[in-house]
Amino acid sequence: MFSLSYKNRIAFNYILSTALLIAFAFIVIYRVIHFSVDEHINEGIDEELQKHLDDVAIDSNDTYLIQVDQWRAREHNTISVNPVFVQFYDDHKRLIDKSPNLKQSNLLLLDASKDDEYVDAFLNGIPIRQIQTPIITNKKTIGYLVVAMSVDDFEIIYILKNILLITFPIILILLFLIARFFAGRSIQPVVNITETSSKITKDNLNTRIDLPANKDELYVLSKTINDLLDRMEEAVEREKQFTSDASHELRTPLAVIKGTLEVLIRKPREKQEYEEKIAFCVSEVNRLNNLVDELLLLARFENQKQNNKVENVFLNALILDSLSRYSDKISKQKLDISTQFEDEYYVQTDYYLISIIIGNLLSNSIKYSKPNGKIQIELNKENSQTIVTINDNGLGIPSEDLSKIFNSFYRASNSKDPNIKGTGLGLSIVKRLCDILHITIEISSEENVGTTLKLRIP
């Protein structure tokens, strides 16, 4: 089966529906005219029949008295102007008289089953319609009257029929060509979309489709594709940046370890110096190991689908457990941790994922808090959501960095102190997990004042 182009399919479907409509209109026109002409001829025959029945009289001896002069007055002598043919038969079906325009021809008298019915026939090759009616006196048939009229008017019907049959395909062909032309113009934006899309590759994502002037469905389609390309370009750029940052972060500790070991083997050194350098390399290996773990964790959650293990999680205990893991850091910085739990709070969510979110946020608050700083943790209910609020009075985040803190490897400009270790992946992981668990995360911060983080857990 052959396939049509989209433009031809539009034209074909249009023509198919139009053909049905035109065919219906033509049939209605033909039937109406056919009925009108048919009724006109029948009425003319009936009128002539009645006139000639009035011309026939019967005397007391059942003798026919036909008023021939009135026939001649009605112009039955010519065959050229709407001729009417009249013929009389007796009760034995013998010819009594006929109209002069019949000349040597005769109208056929049919059997009694055709009485008072219109019958189409031919007279010397001319199409006629005739009707025969019995002449009845005293409930006795004493003769027959046959009236016929030329049906030349039906030639109009045949001509009309031929015209309709000829013009029907011509109209459809012309309409198909016109519809195909306008369909081609209508789908030109689709052609432009196809041509533009074929030029777009992963290395050329900045090309966009020109939006049509009319804000119709094609405008919406073009805008949707452009929005999709924007998201794809942004995702590709993020992937490139992630790959670049990851390779840089991985190379840095490896280069440090390599440089330290190369310096160490250049000449013999004291035991203490060996121990210091080895301890330094171990710390860098631990940092590298931590970075790899976070990269694997982020990659895992980037591809994770919505098939989490939902269970009843006791948030109060989860937060206290997370704080206990950082007790050494809290003690070292002499931080004041206050928890405000007015009630016992349970949520239906994935325990493992929510523990990573809480742990990373608490770790950040502790990491960026100043010595002797204060961290407040609150739990409360708001409508159908459980709100977790973590507030600190640490370094804070510059306003220009707030929109970027969830990007992988991004670290605020004031957090690059060499004494503050970090990879910039923690909040990226938090954001991804919040999306998976349908948790809304809100952050507000002011540099050198502090940061407030809110989790809205459904």
Side-chain angles (χ1 to χ4, degrees), residues 273-284:
E273 191 174 357
Y274 276 115
E275 290 177 352
E276 289 177 356
K277 297 297 183 183
I278 291 173
F280 176 77
C281 288
V282 169
S283 68
E284 288 298 312

Side-chain angles (χ1 to χ4, degrees), residues 13 54 58 82 124 127 188 204 266 279 373 385 393 401 404 416 431 439:
N13 291 333
D54 293 340
I58 306 296
N82 194 22
N124 295 331
Q188 186 58 42
N204 179 31
R266 284 180 184 173
Q385 295 179 328
N393 58 354
D401 293 331
K404 307 173 186 176
K416 296 181 180 178
K431 184 66 171 68
I439 296 174

Side-chain angles (χ1 to χ4, degrees), residues 165-179:
L165 290 175
I166 293 172
T167 56
F168 183 70
I170 295 175
I171 291 173
L172 293 184
I173 292 172
L174 290 176
L175 284 177
F176 177 80
L177 296 176
I178 294 172

Side-chain angles (χ1 to χ4, degrees), residues 115-247:
D115 287 352
D116 298 316
E117 288 186 10
Y118 298 104
V119 178
D120 291 328
F122 288 92
L123 179 65
N124 295 331
I126 299 173
I128 61 170
R129 176 171 295 175
Q130 71 177 50
I131 187 171
Q132 66 185 43
T133 185
I135 301 172
I136 300 175
T137 300
N138 298 324
K139 298 182 180 180
K140 178 182 177 183
T141 301
I142 60 172
Y144 294 91
L145 173 62
V146 183
V147 177
M149 182 178 288
S150 171
V151 291
D152 285 339
D153 285 349
F154 264 99
E155 290 297 322
I156 298 175
I157 300 299
Y158 301 135
I159 293 172
L160 177 64
K161 180 179 179 181
N162 292 332
I163 290 174
L164 295 180
L165 290 175
I166 293 172
T167 56
F168 183 70
I170 295 175
I171 291 173
L172 293 184
I173 292 172
L174 290 176
L175 284 177
F176 177 80
L177 296 176
I178 294 172
R180 188 174 181 274
F181 171 75
F182 284 107
R185 293 188 61 181
S186 299
I187 67 169
Q188 186 58 42
V190 178
V191 176
N192 295 338
I193 291 172
T194 304
E195 292 176 351
T196 304
S197 300
S198 65
K199 299 175 184 177
I200 298 173
T201 64
K202 65 185 179 91
D203 299 320
N204 179 31
L205 286 173
N206 58 346
T207 303
R208 295 293 179 270
I209 297 168
D210 294 332
L211 297 179
N214 296 326
K215 294 187 177 182
D216 51 13
E217 290 83 356
L218 291 177
Y219 177 91
V220 175
L221 173 63
S222 302
K223 190 174 185 305
T224 303
I225 294 176
N226 283 345
D227 293 341
L228 173 63
L229 291 173
D230 289 340
R231 294 192 294 271
M232 289 176 59
E233 185 177 15
E234 184 179 347
V236 170
E237 289 301 321
R238 282 202 309 267
E239 181 183 357
K240 289 180 180 178
Q241 187 65 40
F242 178 85
T243 304
S244 174
D245 293 341
S247 62

Side-chain angles (χ1 to χ4, degrees), residues 298-309:
L298 184 61
R300 171 189 168 190
F301 293 141
E302 282 292 336
N303 298 318
Q304 180 162 332
K305 295 181 180 179
Q306 308 288 336
N307 54 354
N308 311 306
K309 181 182 178 182

